[in-house]
Amino acid sequence: MELLVWAIIFVVLVMLEFATVQLISIWFALGALVTMICTYFFDIPVLGQLAIFIVVSAILLITTFPVVRKKIKPNVVGTNTELNLGQSATVIEDINCDLGSGRVTLNGVDWSAVPTDRNIVIPKGSIVVVKEIQGTRLIVALKETQNV
């Protein structure tokens, strides 16, 4: 009877792993498999079976999870906002933190903007560089002119 219970637990955990594909239950499924095998060959009381299941699952989890985590790279989908960092934008409305004003145009898109140095005012027509993006607001700095 106990063998059947461990077989069912193993199958359910494997099915759960296939359904999620997150490597969450695979270690517990292997722990159930080892427990099922030990139960088949040896007459082990229920508490002993639970101990085997917990110990094997824990050992597998502790020893293999860090290795698997390094091998699997998360599927990070970047957004286009990262492409705007370091780009030049034109100030279309004075950027003044005291007045709460400031707009720039970047690649044809109108953005709200604030300067990296909150104490300065950047006049309309200036060229700025995007340093950071916070939501829908660009953090900008005056572009340094280069004399060539």
Side-chain angles (χ1 to χ4, degrees), residues 7-55:
I8 292 171
I9 291 172
F10 172 72
V11 170
V12 168
L13 289 171
V14 168
M15 288 173 40
L16 182 65
E17 184 61 42
F18 279 121
T20 61
V21 194
Q22 296 292 320
L23 291 177
I24 294 172
S25 60
I26 193 67
W27 292 280
F28 301 108
L30 292 173
L33 179 64
V34 170
T35 305
M36 182 177 65
I37 292 169
C38 289
T39 302
Y40 179 76
F41 288 110
F42 306 105
D43 184 27
I44 302 172
V46 175
L47 286 176
Q49 293 172 27
L50 286 173
I52 292 171
F53 173 72
I54 291 169
V55 169

Side-chain angles (χ1 to χ4, degrees), residues 24-141:
I24 294 172
S25 60
I26 193 67
W27 292 280
F28 301 108
L30 292 173
L33 179 64
V34 170
T35 305
M36 182 177 65
I37 292 169
C38 289
T39 302
Y40 179 76
F41 288 110
F42 306 105
D43 184 27
I44 302 172
V46 175
L47 286 176
Q49 293 172 27
L50 286 173
I52 292 171
F53 173 72
I54 291 169
V55 169
V56 170
S57 296
I59 289 172
L60 289 171
L61 186 62
I62 291 168
T63 58
T64 60
F65 186 70
V67 175
V68 172
R69 177 178 257 169
K70 287 180 186 177
K71 297 284 183 189
I72 297 176
K73 294 180 175 82
N75 232 358
V76 176
V77 178
T79 62
N80 288 339
T81 56
E82 287 89 19
L83 299 175
N84 293 329
L85 295 176
Q87 296 289 315
S88 295
T90 305
V91 178
I92 57 174
E93 176 186 300
D94 289 354
I95 301 174
N96 185 335
C97 287
D98 291 337
L99 299 177
S101 66
R103 300 205 70 77
V104 299
T105 183
L106 174 65
N107 298 326
V109 178
D110 186 8
W111 290 80
S112 173
V114 294
T116 52
D117 181 356
R118 307 277 175 156
N119 296 322
I120 66 168
V121 175
I122 302 175
K124 179 179 178 179
S126 300
I127 304 297
V128 293
V129 176
V130 178
K131 296 295 185 178
E132 187 179 338
I133 300 172
Q134 293 179 349
T136 59
R137 179 173 290 163
L138 300 181
I139 311 300
V140 297

